[in-house]
Amino acid sequence: MTPPRDVTSRLRQSVWNGSIPLEIRLHKGDCITYDESEPYLVQFPRLSYLGLLIPKLHSFFSRNLIYPDVDPFEAWLSCDNVPLKWHYPLGLLYDLYSGTEPHPGEGRKEDAEQPGLPWRLRVHFSDYPTEQLIKLDAAGKHLHDLYINGVKEADYLRNGTGKTIMSLNKDDSTQLWESVKQHNFSLFNPINHKLLNPQGVNLRHMPIKLYLPHASTENQKEEPTPGSVRVMQALVPPVLSSRSPQTVGTALNTMVPTLFPSRRIPTVAQPVLHGAVLPLTVNVEDLLRTSTYSDGWLHITVSMMS
Amino acid sequence: MTTATLTQFPHLTEFEFIDACSELAFRCSRSHKERHDWLSVEVLRRDSIPYLRITKQLTTPNSTSPDTIHIQSSSHEDVERSDIEISSTKGTLDHNTEDAEIEDEDSEILNRTLHTSERSCPIVEYDILLSPVYRVPVLYCSIKDPQFRFPPTMDSLYRYIIPPSFKPQAEQSGVMGGITITDHPVTNSPVFFIHPCQTAAVMEAVSDRKGDMAPFEYLMLWIGAICSCVGLRVPLEVARSMIPNE
């Protein structure tokens, strides 16, 4: 592929290329031998979904399974006993649960050994946590459905109508989902370009979701399950009433003022996207053009500062 | 008194949404519980997200007899004639098929199981939230069962939640139908939900009054048009209290 011409598309492609090495072991309770089986090692894209990896894990581990006939969609993954939502992109799960410090961005530490890699996960083929995880299906339709819903929502937020996504023809929609399944940028990019640049429509709102550690809830009737997070979203316009552009800092200060009392300097918490700390001064629209996940959303985790 | 017009029809503001939910909860609190199948109606708020929770007993195929009583609604015709027809059992996502008409007649007979151990019975929990994206109400529903016999799967959905007459309609749209499974916005646990991306268009189609209605009337219209396919219907008594001068 020819190198992208401008910075935006170069960044877009870098984000697309981000990946995380995974070391996946079979849960002991599902393993036929007393000793642990060999781990499955894979360099997996940050923007892809663990749900797409399940069939491969099933065939890899089938010879070690106590019940080799178990359906692939009985499988689920966990990290430190936290069931992982397979319809969240891997990068989001990593930023939420890996426990590693996010990359500080400015003060580079390129040479430093990356701690916490590979990311060690468990795959289970029994005791599906149905109360916490949506069950996969043989044809992968749930994942497709959840993905398309996310794409539609992001589109609706950006344009204030659902017309752009609706105007994609059948081939375009198929190509979009195929690009995700195959993790193929040259399939993805043209469709993404159409979605981000609808004709005659101004950008209305930014598709931002914030993932907060579930420390405090007002109404603690139910014990929060391990690893549960609070997902927040709000209508975030691209430009403030003062006509200055919306930055990460101004957006977070509006959404969660207690965690982001300052619009410029993180004091209590810091926002993390694709494993890196987001500077609060970054323009949100720039982020939208370069750094969204493949469903069009900026899935930003919030990491408390020690 | 509620405000008479909606400012962003076919969308709802958060204020209008809370107003509508509170009104429904209030009216239900004054209604005769034994005459409808809702166990509870309450306005809740968690993590600053307001929502309305309606619960009713799950009626499984084998819970209909022998300990079931049929309550024949005497007010059926009144409601039929009134201008709120859509909020009674007639409203559907789109046009009723012949089959649906017949089913609707049957469902006028409200099933109500009388168990001594009501609390250990599975209940259906309907949570209505305002979508922060589409600015319309969204219905999430799940089956709460002490013995976890009804996991949130498409099988449970079609076996226990969607009335048979709505199946063809529900299966039509989207990747796997207009009703699928997602994470609840507050609990982040899997629940069934009705895709909201068409709701605004449906609301425009079913109302010829545009925004000229109170938030509560919008909510009734919405339940009638959107929620019957998962077995949620406004009790006749509550619907009837909308008729002016009654």
Side-chain angles (χ1 to χ4, degrees):
Chain A
M1 213 183 140
T2 49
R5 279 168 302 159
D6 61 308
V7 179
T8 302
S9 37
R10 217 164 50 230
L11 283 170
R12 176 81 256 172
Q13 182 139 27
S14 302
V15 167
W16 180 271
N17 289 340
S19 66
I20 295 165
L22 300 178
E23 179 189 303
I24 304 171
R25 289 181 182 272
L26 183 61
H27 175 64
K28 273 194 173 169
D30 294 310
C31 188
I32 197 160
T33 53
Y34 182 74
D35 296 324
E36 279 208 335
S37 59
E38 288 290 305
Y40 181 87
L41 301 171
V42 64
Q43 187 78 27
F44 200 72
R46 272 186 161 267
L47 266 54
S48 191
Y49 298 91
L50 286 174
L52 296 169
L53 190 63
I54 296 288
K56 282 178 191 155
L57 290 175
H58 179 257
S59 44
F60 180 83
F61 287 113
S62 59
R63 64 202 152 91
N64 302 108
L65 288 172
I66 295 179
Y67 301 105
D69 297 336
V70 66
D71 279 322
F73 50 87
E74 291 293 331
W76 55 284
L77 289 132
S78 68
C79 161
D80 296 332
N81 297 322
V82 174
L84 299 176
K85 290 185 187 287
W86 45 256
H87 60 285
Y88 281 10
L90 177 74
L92 171 61
L93 290 171
Y94 183 83
D95 294 347
L96 277 172
Y97 300 121
S98 70
T100 50
E101 283 291 310
H103 196 285
E106 278 133 334
R108 286 168 182 276
K109 49 169 188 180
E110 304 247 0
D111 304 327
E113 179 94 345
Q114 281 262 36
L117 291 179
W119 194 27
R120 294 190 173 84
L121 306 179
R122 292 262 162 207
V123 61
H124 308 244
F125 286 88
S126 56
D127 299 324
Y128 199 95
T130 44
E131 296 295 307
Q132 291 165 67
L133 289 187
I134 301 171
K135 195 94 185 278
L136 275 165
D137 57 300
K141 282 187 177 174
H142 276 303
L143 184 55
H144 188 184
D145 184 69
L146 289 157
Y147 175 77
I148 291 295
N149 285 341
V151 173
K152 278 187 190 170
E153 285 188 353
D155 184 61
Y156 197 95
L157 279 174
R158 285 191 307 261
N159 308 320
T161 73
K163 283 181 189 140
T164 319
I165 182 84
M166 291 304 182
S167 70
L168 285 189
N169 61 39
K170 181 123 183 25
D171 289 346
D172 286 347
S173 319
T174 312
Q175 182 174 330
L176 180 63
W177 179 231
E178 276 304 312
S179 76
V180 174
K181 283 203 291 186
Q182 302 172 20
H183 194 66
N184 183 324
F185 189 70
S186 50
L187 286 180
F188 173 78
N189 205 32
I191 312 296
N192 187 52
H193 188 81
K194 277 190 199 179
L195 286 174
L196 283 184
N197 302 285
Q199 291 200 326
V201 186
N202 290 328
L203 184 60
R204 296 278 292 272
H205 297 108
M206 310 295 195
I208 297 181
K209 273 190 196 174
L210 273 191
Y211 296 76
L212 308 175
H214 222 150
S216 60
T217 48
E218 297 156 34
N219 181 357
Q220 210 128 44
K221 246 193 257 174
E222 299 140 49
E223 277 286 302
T225 45
S228 69
V229 287
R230 174 178 160 198
V231 186
M232 269 192 82
Q233 56 188 90
L235 288 180
V236 181
V239 178
L240 300 168
S241 51
S242 64
R243 288 186 156 188
S244 47
Q246 184 85 253
T247 63
V248 171
T250 54
L252 294 182
N253 174 257
T254 312
M255 288 172 83
V256 263
T258 46
L259 295 181
F260 296 94
S262 160
R263 292 166 193 177
R264 286 182 194 85
I265 307 150
T267 50
V268 184
Q270 49 191 7
V272 177
L273 180 65
H274 303 306
V277 174
L278 276 178
L280 294 189
T281 47
V282 165
N283 181 323
V284 181
E285 188 171 346
D286 290 345
L287 271 187
L288 184 72
R289 305 234 158 243
T290 55
S291 313
T292 61
Y293 280 88
S294 70
D295 59 2
W297 283 87
L298 292 164
H299 297 290
I300 297 174
T301 62
V302 172
S303 140
M304 303 306 286
M305 292 163 78
S306 44
Chain B
M1 197 54 213
T2 57
T3 40
T5 53
L6 300 174
T7 52
Q8 293 176 21
F9 184 85
H11 305 277
L12 274 191
T13 63
E14 185 172 284
F15 181 81
E16 291 162 348
F17 174 72
I18 295 170
D19 183 17
C21 294
S22 313
E23 177 85 17
L24 180 58
F26 175 69
R27 288 185 190 222
C28 288
S29 69
R30 293 195 315 177
S31 69
H32 298 286
K33 279 239 162 87
E34 65 277 10
R35 284 166 67 177
H36 59 73
D37 65 346
W38 288 4
L39 296 173
S40 67
V41 181
E42 47 184 340
V43 183
L44 302 170
R45 182 181 276 271
R46 195 164 139 189
D47 296 336
S48 319
I49 302 174
Y51 58 108
L52 183 72
R53 174 168 291 174
I54 299 168
T55 60
K56 69 173 205 179
Q57 220 154 334
L58 178 73
T59 39
T60 56
N62 45 10
S63 70
T64 43
S65 59
D67 48 359
T68 299
I69 54 161
H70 297 293
I71 303 166
Q72 181 72 49
S73 152
S74 56
S75 55
H76 181 209
E77 288 188 2
D78 299 349
V79 174
E80 277 290 272
R81 278 200 301 270
S82 83
D83 58 353
I84 50 140
E85 182 180 320
I86 193 76
S87 69
S88 76
T89 54
K90 289 291 181 195
T92 65
L93 264 173
D94 47 70
H95 309 292
N96 280 322
T97 61
E98 284 294 309
D99 282 353
E101 286 287 340
I102 294 160
E103 278 297 318
D104 274 353
E105 289 303 316
D106 285 341
S107 61
E108 290 300 341
I109 300 165
L110 300 174
N111 285 334
R112 194 165 155 76
T113 47
L114 294 179
H115 288 292
T116 42
S117 56
E118 271 203 1
R119 261 179 223 155
S120 66
C121 289
I123 60 165
V124 189
E125 211 167 71
Y126 298 100
D127 284 352
I128 300 171
L129 283 86
L130 186 67
S131 164
V133 174
Y134 300 106
R135 318 301 288 169
V136 293
V138 187
L139 184 74
Y140 297 87
C141 86
S142 56
I143 306 173
K144 297 288 163 199
D145 176 41
Q147 297 168 53
F148 302 104
R149 286 167 298 180
F150 310 95
T153 60
M154 293 306 274
D155 183 53
S156 301
L157 176 69
Y158 282 98
R159 195 176 296 190
Y160 304 111
I161 300 278
I162 301 183
S165 55
F166 284 98
K167 269 180 199 176
Q169 201 177 304
E171 283 165 346
Q172 255 171 28
S173 60
V175 176
M176 50 193 316
I179 308 165
T180 51
I181 303 164
T182 193
D183 288 327
H184 189 291
V186 173
T187 64
N188 212 12
S189 302
V191 287
F192 307 115
F193 90 120
I194 303 178
H195 291 203
C197 61
Q198 299 296 324
T199 299
V202 170
M203 292 306 289
E204 280 193 307
V206 296
S207 167
D208 45 15
R209 290 160 60 193
K210 299 297 168 198
D212 184 21
M213 64 177 85
F216 175 69
E217 292 175 279
Y218 177 101
L219 188 66
M220 294 301 93
L221 200 60
W222 173 80
I223 294 178
I226 303 287
C227 304
S228 354
C229 59
V230 289
L232 181 68
R233 295 157 188 279
V234 180
L236 291 171
E237 192 182 339
V238 178
R240 245 185 351 178
S241 67
M242 282 175 68
I243 301 168
N245 308 321
E246 201 187 31

